[in-house]
């Protein structure tokens, strides 16, 4: 491809989107599509996947089709494009008939560059028939991991997209996703018939994200409230495992004065939309949600994601945590997890009606997740290696990089605990096992009192034993049967247990990481926290101007019924506040200010700047 085509692409990036240079692997992906070839691109969240198809769609003759799983995602993207002066639309079931007619008119006149559509919408015979008479620039398949059973968000309707290769053999197709391990990537390529196409996998590094995780102790909701209280005036997302959990947690937070709302699929549609809008438009708000909330929520200034209950896999973890810090400013991902969460995860997989191969893969994903969460080495590095990255360095900002996990040898105590679980026949829960080891069972039966393990564990406190039992559960040496909410503890991996009995396998008990918690248990943020909003990064001097710009943006967004970040990101406003451009030409040089936005908002922004001078 002649270099001039890529120069042209760079020019569009600069003029339309306001970015000075391509990032990561964007240029390579764009060059491939401009050359008329299909490709697959795996770029991390916030890595700039969309311009990879938007720019070629604008340059190549014909309509660019973007297949996307969620209406919210499409709506945001289309609004953003229109703000930048790009001709874009979406076709979905929520639209009015006249809107659809209007869109088709533009398609047939050849004036539309990008059309967003759902997979089931696209694959309708009448739609395919109509599109077969339309010149197509490309077909982009967003969130392509949805096509794979090995991924974490399989959607059967994505399977149909494989047929696109035969229906539109001459149209380059681009599959993009943020999270896919090697196996999922292979599967995506096979399903979408991209075996022969180039694959571009960017680094999964998210250096702005400080990760941490802690075992649940006591009341997990109280702990979450503590973490939130230590992060005032910032936007955050909290994931909880159940609808009920989101409601209760949101209520607790509201009672403490936090502007929090629950969000889950059980809410009435209008209420859900309203809460989403409130969250997106707020400068600081907290959403307590099930995983129904997520894909397509592109709020760039989310400063933390807290998992009140752990995610389902490392892919899900990376994607959910990845919603923090999309603007590139420091953000945090904090996960609370427990041995019983792990037991439930296994249990759910067991109960699924899928074949054993799939169950095995899913169980392995659970194991890998907890190995990372309860591990002792850099979390970010672990995740990146999981995604197949090589030569990965420690991140330097996660709890495990900042602190060291102290371990003590607890092999002998482990032998006692395993032996007790064995003798008690797996018929009792963790609390009872602890009492047994300490000899504190109230009114023990003569059977229990007669066991050699009764009262042999004086070396640990009750908390110490609970920690050790958790550790043995995470290690797979013990196994928990959820037993409908009253979990029972029994022996796990028998070979492993035997090795511990024989002293061949040592058990290292993890000591607390408390000093290095993102928030100490007193609720104070740790001193070294890097997480600060763009607002605090710009220095007190420019703060009033930044706030004035945000206020202007809030009004403007309100007037147009748009989320504020569709107009300008915080980042862009911060840069404006610091550089204080004196005219349109200098304003145009700010990252995120393209020609369309310059024309729309340039004068208004300059007026805000002048207003602060006066
Ligand atoms: P994702 O990969 O998560 O879909 P987006 O395409 O939404 O990411 O892009 C994330 C952010 O990065 C957007 O704000 C976008 O404007 C910005 N961006 C994309 N490409 C560049 C670039 N080359 N330089 C600077 N910012 C960019
Ligand atoms: Zn690290």
């Amino acid at each position: 491809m002649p270099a001039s085509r890529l120069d042209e692409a760079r020019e569009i990036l600069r003029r339309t989107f306001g970015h000075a240079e391509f990032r990561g692997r964007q240029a390579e992906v764009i060059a491939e599509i401009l050359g008329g070839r299909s490709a697959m691109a795996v770029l991390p969240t916030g890595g700039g996947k969309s311009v990879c198809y938007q720019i070629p769609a604008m340059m190549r003759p014909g309509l660019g089709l973007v297949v996307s799983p969620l209406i919210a995602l499409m709506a945001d993207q289309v609004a953003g494009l229109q703000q930048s002066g790009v001709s874009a639309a979406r076709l979905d079931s929520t639209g009015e008939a006249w809107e659809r007619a209007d869109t088709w008119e533009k398609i047939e006149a050849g004036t539309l560059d990008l059309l967003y559509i759902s997979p089931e919408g696209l694959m309708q015979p009448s739609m395919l028939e109509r599109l077969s008479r339309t010149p197509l620039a490309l077909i982009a398949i967003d969130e392509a991991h949805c096509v794979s059973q090995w991924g974490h968000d399989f959607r059967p309707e994505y399977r149909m997209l494989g047929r696109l290769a035969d229906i539109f053999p001459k149209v380059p197709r681009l599959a993009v996703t943020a999270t896919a391990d090697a196996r999922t990537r292979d599967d995506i390529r096979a399903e979408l018939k991209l075996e022969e196409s180039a694959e571009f996998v960017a680094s999964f590094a998210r250096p702005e994200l400080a990760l941490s995780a802690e075992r649940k102790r006591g009341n997990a909701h109280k702990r979450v409230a503590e973490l939130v209280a230590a992060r005032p005036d910032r936007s955050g997302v909290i994931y909880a495992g159940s609808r009920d959990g989101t409601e209760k947690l949101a209520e607790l937070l509201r009672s403490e004065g936090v502007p929090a709302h629950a969000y889950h699929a059980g809410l009435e549609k209008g209420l859900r939309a309203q809460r989403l809008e409130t969250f997106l438009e707020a400068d600081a708000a907290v959403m307590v949600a099930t995983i129904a909330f997520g894909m397509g929520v592109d709020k760039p200034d989310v400063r933390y994601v807290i998992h009140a209950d752990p995610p389902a896999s490392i892919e899900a973890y990376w994607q959910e945590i990845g919603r923090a810090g999309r603007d590139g400013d420091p953000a945090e991902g904090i996960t609370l997890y427990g041995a019983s969460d792990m037991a439930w995860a296994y249990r759910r997989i067991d109960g699924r009606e899928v074949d054993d191969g799939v169950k095995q893969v899913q169980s392995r994903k659970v194991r890998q997740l907890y190995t990372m969460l309860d591990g002792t080495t850099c979390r970010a590095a672990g995740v990146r290696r999981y995604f197949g990255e090589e030569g990965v360095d420690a991140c330097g900002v996660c709890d495990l990089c900042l602190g060291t996990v102290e371990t003590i040898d607890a092999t002998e105590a482990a032998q006692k605990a395993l032996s007790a679980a064995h003798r008690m026949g797996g018929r009792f829960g963790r609390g009872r096992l602890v009492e047994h080891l300490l000899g504190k069972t109230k009114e023990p039966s003569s059977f229990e009192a007669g066991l050699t393990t009764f009262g042999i564990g004086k070396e640990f406190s009750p908390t110490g034993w609970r920690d050790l039992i958790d550790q043995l559960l995470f290690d797979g040496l013990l196994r928990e049967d959820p037993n409908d909410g009253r979990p029972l503890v029994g022996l796990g991996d028998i070979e492993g247990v035997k090795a511990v009995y024989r002293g061949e396998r040592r058990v290292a008990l993890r000591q607390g990481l408390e000093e290095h918690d993102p928030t100490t248990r007193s609720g104070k943020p740790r001193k070294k926290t890097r997480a600060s909003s763009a607002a605090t990064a710009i220095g007190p001097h420019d703060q009033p101007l930044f706030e004035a710009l945000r206020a202007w943006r809030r009004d403007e967004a309100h007037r147009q019924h748009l989320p504020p970040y569709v107009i300008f990101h915080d980042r862009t406003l911060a840069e404006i506040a610091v550089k204080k451009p004196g005219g349109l030409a200098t304003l145009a040089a700010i990252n995120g200010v393209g020609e369309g936005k310059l024309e729309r908002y340039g004068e208004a922004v300059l007026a805000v700047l002048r207003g602060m001078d006066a």
Side-chain angles (χ1 to χ4, degrees):
M1 191 190 58
S4 63
R5 289 285 278 167
L6 202 54
D7 288 342
E8 206 180 308
R10 197 172 284 112
E11 188 61 15
I12 294 178
L13 179 76
R14 206 177 56 70
R15 289 172 53 163
T16 305
F17 297 96
H19 305 310
E21 251 316 317
F22 284 122
R23 243 180 7 197
R25 312 204 64 174
Q26 283 174 334
E28 295 165 80
V29 178
I30 289 173
E32 195 72 8
I33 304 298
L34 288 179
R37 292 176 296 275
S38 294
M40 166 146 126
V42 186
L43 309 180
T45 307
K49 282 182 290 296
S50 21
V51 298
C52 292
Y53 51 81
Q54 287 164 350
I55 292 179
M58 291 161 70
M59 290 176 65
R60 284 174 61 84
L63 176 68
L65 281 181
V66 184
V67 185
S68 174
L70 270 184
I71 289 175
L73 187 84
M74 298 188 215
D76 259 21
Q77 288 227 0
V78 169
L81 285 166
Q82 288 171 347
Q83 287 283 317
S84 299
V86 180
S87 168
R90 70 189 156 110
L91 273 181
D92 67 59
S93 47
T94 65
E96 304 278 345
W98 66 264
E99 279 175 321
R100 277 199 293 276
D102 186 53
T103 300
W104 275 111
E105 219 166 86
K106 286 190 189 132
I107 294 171
E108 272 149 20
T111 58
L112 198 66
D113 277 328
L114 282 144
L115 180 69
Y116 286 73
I117 191 165
S118 69
E120 53 278 19
L122 171 60
M123 299 312 284
Q124 272 168 24
S126 59
M127 177 65 71
L128 289 172
E129 205 269 324
R130 224 167 158 177
L131 286 172
S132 68
R133 287 179 269 126
T134 309
L136 295 181
L138 57 86
I139 303 174
I141 298 162
D142 206 358
E143 312 287 357
H145 60 272
C146 293
V147 79
S148 170
Q149 278 210 70
W150 309 123
H152 60 288
D153 195 16
F154 174 53
R155 290 171 185 243
E157 64 274 20
Y158 257 65
R159 278 285 156 95
M160 301 183 292
L161 298 176
R163 287 174 44 216
L164 292 172
D166 304 320
I167 304 173
F168 303 104
K170 297 216 164 68
V171 180
R173 286 163 300 123
L174 174 64
V176 293
T177 173
T179 43
D181 62 7
R183 178 167 194 172
T184 309
R185 290 204 291 273
D186 286 347
D187 206 28
I188 294 173
R189 286 158 60 110
E191 286 294 330
L192 296 180
K193 309 209 173 75
L194 292 169
E195 293 98 330
E196 309 294 316
S197 307
E199 177 176 290
F200 301 91
V201 182
S203 166
F204 283 85
R206 291 285 311 271
E208 71 283 10
L209 270 187
L211 306 176
S212 63
E214 52 185 75
R215 286 189 196 170
K216 289 181 183 174
R217 279 196 182 82
N219 184 331
H221 281 191
K222 255 181 73 188
R223 177 63 183 146
V224 172
E226 229 171 69
L227 291 164
V228 171
R231 290 159 180 76
D233 305 321
R234 300 182 192 165
S235 290
V237 174
I238 300 168
Y239 282 108
S242 67
R243 295 175 182 185
D244 188 47
T246 64
E247 302 272 5
K248 288 201 173 116
L249 194 44
E251 210 174 289
L252 174 68
L253 291 171
R254 272 202 307 279
S255 76
E256 301 193 351
V258 178
H261 282 293
Y263 186 100
H264 55 76
L267 291 175
E268 185 266 318
K269 224 174 136 190
L271 184 62
R272 219 164 61 194
Q274 185 200 328
R275 287 186 178 175
L276 179 61
E277 196 176 319
T278 309
F279 176 72
L280 295 179
E281 291 185 357
D283 285 334
V286 173
M287 195 69 122
V288 189
T290 61
I291 52 169
F293 174 81
M295 225 201 275
V297 177
D298 282 357
K299 187 176 171 66
D301 58 353
V302 173
R303 293 271 69 85
Y304 59 84
V305 169
I306 298 174
H307 279 98
D309 296 305
S313 64
I314 289 184
E315 283 96 331
Y317 173 71
W318 209 234
Q319 191 147 59
E320 284 153 24
I321 291 285
R323 302 207 167 99
R326 295 192 54 142
D327 54 11
D329 282 334
E332 294 174 279
I334 305 167
T335 308
L336 306 188
Y337 64 98
S340 50
D341 296 314
M342 184 172 77
W344 273 112
Y346 283 130
R347 178 66 171 270
R348 263 197 304 274
I349 291 168
D350 239 18
R352 264 178 213 150
E353 282 177 22
V354 290
D355 49 79
D356 284 351
V358 175
K359 277 187 188 176
Q360 267 169 27
V361 172
Q362 291 177 339
S363 296
R364 199 182 62 216
K365 285 188 190 290
V366 170
R367 197 161 59 246
Q368 286 166 319
L369 171 75
Y370 284 90
T371 303
M372 182 280 294
L373 288 176
D374 205 57
T376 53
T377 56
C378 178
R379 296 184 194 284
V383 171
R384 290 170 61 192
R385 275 193 286 270
Y386 173 87
F387 287 125
E389 251 186 79
E390 285 165 16
V392 172
D393 288 328
C395 75
V397 295
C398 72
D399 53 347
L400 296 173
C401 280
L402 290 178
T404 40
V405 183
E406 304 275 326
T407 58
I408 55 168
D409 185 276
T411 310
E412 206 175 305
Q415 289 166 345
K416 292 179 183 175
L418 293 171
S419 173
H422 176 56
R423 276 166 223 273
M424 306 263 286
R427 284 176 288 115
F428 299 96
R430 191 176 66 163
R432 182 65 189 286
L433 209 53
V434 172
E435 286 171 357
H436 175 85
L437 284 160
L438 291 165
K440 288 192 174 157
T441 312
K442 286 189 203 87
E443 298 173 29
S445 64
S446 57
F447 162 77
E448 182 178 344
L451 294 176
T452 54
T453 47
F454 187 69
I456 54 162
K458 301 282 192 293
E459 64 265 55
F460 286 151
S461 66
T463 315
W465 280 116
R466 274 198 294 274
D467 280 351
L468 177 59
I469 290 170
D470 272 355
Q471 174 92 37
L472 295 172
L473 288 165
F474 287 123
D475 290 347
L477 294 166
L478 287 176
R479 185 158 38 219
E480 202 170 54
D481 171 357
N483 187 36
D484 284 328
R486 310 202 56 204
L488 307 176
V489 176
L491 288 188
D493 161 30
I494 294 303
E495 287 312 309
V497 170
K498 283 186 190 155
V500 174
Y501 281 153
R502 288 194 298 264
E504 291 160 14
R505 173 166 168 178
R506 313 300 297 177
V507 174
L509 178 61
R510 224 179 112 111
Q511 302 289 288
L513 247 178
E514 312 230 335
E515 287 155 51
H516 311 286
D517 275 354
T519 301
T520 57
R521 298 222 166 231
S522 66
K524 299 261 167 18
R526 68 167 181 230
K527 293 201 189 67
K528 279 179 79 174
T529 185
R530 293 190 337 141
S532 62
S533 65
T536 55
I538 62 173
H541 214 68
D542 300 324
Q543 191 72 30
L545 182 48
F546 177 65
E547 291 305 334
L549 288 164
R550 280 178 120 190
W552 162 79
R553 180 184 64 179
R554 200 156 41 232
D555 292 345
E556 190 59 47
H558 199 72
R559 206 172 55 74
Q560 298 189 55
H561 302 288
L562 288 171
Y565 53 82
V566 170
I567 296 180
F568 283 124
H569 279 189
D570 272 2
R571 252 210 160 171
T572 302
L573 295 186
E575 202 179 323
I576 294 173
V578 171
K579 294 193 177 150
K580 303 181 188 54
L584 289 176
T586 35
L587 180 59
I590 304 268
N591 199 23
V593 184
E595 274 179 1
K597 293 192 179 175
L598 189 69
E599 196 174 310
R600 268 193 181 70
Y601 307 120
E603 289 300 343
V605 167
L606 293 175
V608 175
L609 291 171
R610 281 194 299 270
M612 292 301 286
D613 270 353

